[in-house]
Amino acid sequence: MTKAAKVYDYDTERIPLVGNHTNRFAAATKDQIFYNVIPESIENPITKKVTIFLNKRGAFTTHTTLVAGAGRALYYWTRTSKTYTVIANKLYAGTSTIAILTLTTSTGTCWFTEVSGGTDYLILSDGTDMWTIDTSDNVVDITDVDMPAGPTTPAALDGYIFIIKSGTDEIWNADLNVATSWGATAFLSVEMYPDNLVALTRQVNYVVAFGTFSVEFFYDNAATPSPLRRAETVALKVGLAARDSLAQTDRRILWVGQSQSGEPSIWMFNSLTPEKVSNEFVDKILQNEGSNLSTAKGSFIQHKGHTLYILNLNARSLVYDLDEKIWTDWSTNSASVHAVLPYNFFVQGANNAILALHNTDGKIYTLVPGTYTDTAAAILVEFSTGKIDFGNTHQKRLFNLSLLADVESSGTVTVDWSDDDYQTFSTSRTLDLTTRPYTKACGSFRRRAFRFKHSTNAPFRAEAMELDYSDGIH
């Protein structure tokens, strides 16, 4: 059989746009990177072929305006259908700008936990004091002298409130169903590993104790003076490098972890099973934070059908998609430059709305899936490829570049490229998303990286780029 002749004097390659960070350094100036997109995989049920898209995130728009100041905590209580917000030294309930509590502290993270049963109430702690809040927004200061000083990260289980005694390995508990009453010996020491405790959280029917270099699980054994008993078979020699990076949703916990023999990384408990979810590229970013890593803030959200872990660092905002198992970056657009998201606390509010507390302006924002301009500026989508050479360093000529993206009623995307390892980029070209987004006569290269940007007030979803090129000999 005679081989059919080529119709065109070039080859065509379709290159998917999705991937993980491949940064050689911690900075996002070189190699593959993704800003303000959500990866979405779609599997054909017959062929089992998977197609992956980059889908633009929703926008942050104003939801509630309170009083400007340092944002310290945000909680949505379904029992009252209200948000509870700590800004500076004030606690606000719902949309009212009249505070229901004045704290003695005005900076630093605060923590909420919820107790349900015979009497429903919230617990609020600021690391110095602790209060109960009932469904009528009555606030009671817990003043029992037996409660340890400096209560942090309260956790509730079976009618008990548990806290850490600062600087120790001790987990203290209030009396059963009485958060304001504490016993002088109502504590248990963590003993599996010699370690001071950093934070508590709840996972299924366990209290999880995070130390500096270890994690242990405890269950309610209905004993005294502490009701807790250690789950001997569930422990991990990876601790908590950043207390406020700890976030919990359904049966999963994520945190910035550290061991005594390695660099920081991101870990997850899926039910009771631990796994490392960061790769070596994300680990470089964490290591580059240095002492700033201890201030990292982590939260879970559900957005556009995806469960996302948002980690605010000093230098950037990392986002881990638990469904696709891919890391991306989110940012706010600051004069066409990516800046760290100005929100450290996220909750799911009424009607499944995602709410975010701004760090300074006293406003709660909502993340809207079908909106594409943040309150401050248009969302800046940006993604760069790795260096493409089709398996050799021959001189190539690129005749056409096509972006496989959804056709929209408005909007453009720009593309430029670097042939010298991201040191310089070509003049940007504009592709029209209302028709076929493509460009011609793209010059010669040996190895080329492409960069795309989209910042118009319109949806954006892209699958791949298609390159028509010829391959030379030298």
Side-chain angles (χ1 to χ4, degrees):
M1 180 178 294
T2 303
K3 185 176 180 180
K6 289 178 63 175
V7 177
Y8 301 105
D9 290 330
Y10 55 75
D11 294 309
T12 299
E13 289 286 343
R14 180 172 293 186
I15 300 173
L17 298 172
V18 170
N20 271 312
H21 291 328
T22 57
N23 47 284
R24 70 195 79 177
F25 311 114
T29 55
K30 295 187 176 184
D31 305 305
Q32 192 164 259
I33 193 72
F34 305 91
Y35 274 102
N36 294 316
V37 291
I38 299 173
E40 294 184 330
S41 61
I42 301 174
E43 182 183 65
N44 185 300
I46 306 300
T47 65
K48 303 303 180 183
K49 179 183 177 181
V50 176
T51 303
I52 305 181
F53 296 87
L54 294 179
N55 196 356
K56 189 177 186 177
R57 69 163 173 86
F60 291 96
T61 62
T62 302
H63 179 273
T64 302
T65 300
L66 296 170
V67 179
R72 303 177 63 192
L74 180 67
Y75 192 86
Y76 180 77
W77 195 9
T78 56
R79 185 69 176 80
T80 62
S81 300
K82 292 180 184 177
T83 55
Y84 291 79
T85 312
V86 181
I87 298 175
N89 67 337
K90 304 291 185 181
L91 169 64
Y92 302 94
T95 60
S96 174
T97 57
I98 300 175
I100 64 172
L101 171 67
T102 298
L103 291 73
T104 57
T105 61
S106 58
T107 59
T109 302
C110 298
W111 304 271
F112 287 97
T113 194
E114 183 177 336
V115 180
S116 59
T119 301
D120 295 340
Y121 57 91
L122 294 180
I123 293 288
L124 169 64
S125 170
D126 68 350
T128 299
D129 297 302
M130 198 155 68
W131 302 265
T132 65
I133 307 161
D134 67 18
T135 55
S136 298
D137 294 339
N138 297 308
V139 181
V140 175
D141 191 1
I142 301 176
T143 58
D144 193 313
V145 294
D146 290 323
M147 184 183 75
T152 57
T153 62
L157 177 67
D158 297 343
Y160 291 99
I161 298 298
F162 299 94
I163 61 172
I164 294 167
K165 184 176 181 179
S166 179
T168 73
D169 61 358
E170 298 171 0
I171 303 173
W172 284 70
N173 61 273
D175 293 346
L176 180 62
N177 295 321
V178 188
T180 55
S181 179
W182 295 69
T185 60
F187 71 92
L188 171 144
S189 294
V190 176
E191 296 177 350
M192 185 169 287
Y193 301 111
D195 205 357
N196 281 341
L197 292 176
V198 179
L200 300 178
T201 191
R202 177 175 172 176
Q203 176 77 326
V204 197
N205 290 321
Y206 294 89
V207 170
V208 189
F210 285 81
T212 307
F213 297 110
S214 63
V215 184
E216 294 186 38
F217 283 66
F218 298 85
Y219 63 91
D220 183 359
N221 191 45
T224 57
S226 171
L228 296 180
R229 181 170 180 176
R230 184 178 298 104
E232 302 287 350
T233 59
V234 188
L236 181 67
K237 286 214 71 177
V238 175
L240 188 57
R243 180 190 59 197
D244 297 331
S245 69
L246 184 64
Q248 196 271 346
T249 183
D250 50 62
R251 299 171 70 90
R252 292 172 288 191
I253 302 173
L254 264 78
W255 75 99
V256 177
Q258 64 182 0
S259 67
Q260 291 175 308
S261 59
E263 296 177 346
S265 53
I266 313 294
W267 282 78
M268 177 175 70
F269 272 112
N270 189 350
S271 190
L272 304 183
T273 303
E275 63 177 292
K276 182 176 179 285
V277 297
S278 60
N279 54 34
E280 62 269 34
F281 306 108
V282 172
D283 291 349
K284 291 177 192 175
I285 296 170
L286 299 178
Q287 182 68 13
N288 189 62
E289 286 282 297
S291 60
N292 289 321
L293 184 61
S294 63
T295 65
K297 304 287 193 300
S299 295
F300 276 110
I301 66 170
Q302 294 276 347
H303 183 52
K304 291 194 171 184
H306 295 251
T307 302
L308 307 173
Y309 173 68
I310 300 178
L311 182 65
N312 258 8
L313 302 172
N314 180 65
R316 58 205 290 186
S317 300
L318 294 176
V319 178
Y320 181 63
D321 189 322
L322 278 72
D323 302 296
E324 304 295 349
K325 303 185 187 306
I326 291 177
W327 288 93
T328 59
D329 276 77
W330 281 14
S331 71
T332 186
N333 185 350
S334 177
S336 298
V337 175
H338 298 287
V340 177
L341 289 178
Y343 321 102
N344 284 329
F345 304 99
F346 297 80
V347 298
Q348 183 171 309
N351 301 316
N352 297 315
I354 300 302
L355 305 178
L357 176 62
H358 195 279
N359 295 340
T360 59
D361 72 7
K363 296 180 181 180
I364 298 172
Y365 292 77
T366 183
L367 182 58
V368 183
T371 304
Y372 303 102
T373 296
D374 292 333
T375 301
I379 297 170
L380 175 58
V381 169
E382 180 179 343
F383 50 96
S384 299
T385 70
K387 289 174 289 187
I388 296 169
D389 59 15
F390 303 110
N392 62 66
T393 57
H394 297 168
Q395 187 79 18
K396 296 113 181 150
R397 179 169 294 279
L398 182 58
F399 297 98
N400 303 304
L401 180 155
S402 298
L403 180 66
L404 279 66
D406 292 352
V407 175
E408 301 294 346
S409 59
S410 65
T412 60
V413 61
T414 63
V415 60
D416 54 15
W417 48 78
S418 174
D419 297 339
D420 57 4
D421 194 24
Y422 305 91
Q423 296 183 72
T424 61
F425 280 82
S426 66
T427 301
S428 296
R429 300 188 183 188
T430 300
L431 311 182
D432 187 354
L433 291 174
T434 66
T435 55
R436 176 192 168 199
Y438 77 104
T439 187
K440 297 181 177 181
C442 302
S444 300
F445 69 98
R446 295 183 185 275
R447 309 187 77 194
R448 175 171 287 182
F450 297 87
R451 180 173 63 183
F452 295 87
K453 294 183 181 181
H454 176 271
S455 60
T456 51
N457 184 20
F460 177 75
R461 191 179 74 149
E463 172 189 349
M465 65 176 177
E466 200 167 81
L467 305 179
D468 298 330
Y469 75 100
S470 64
D471 192 341
I473 298 175
H474 301 292

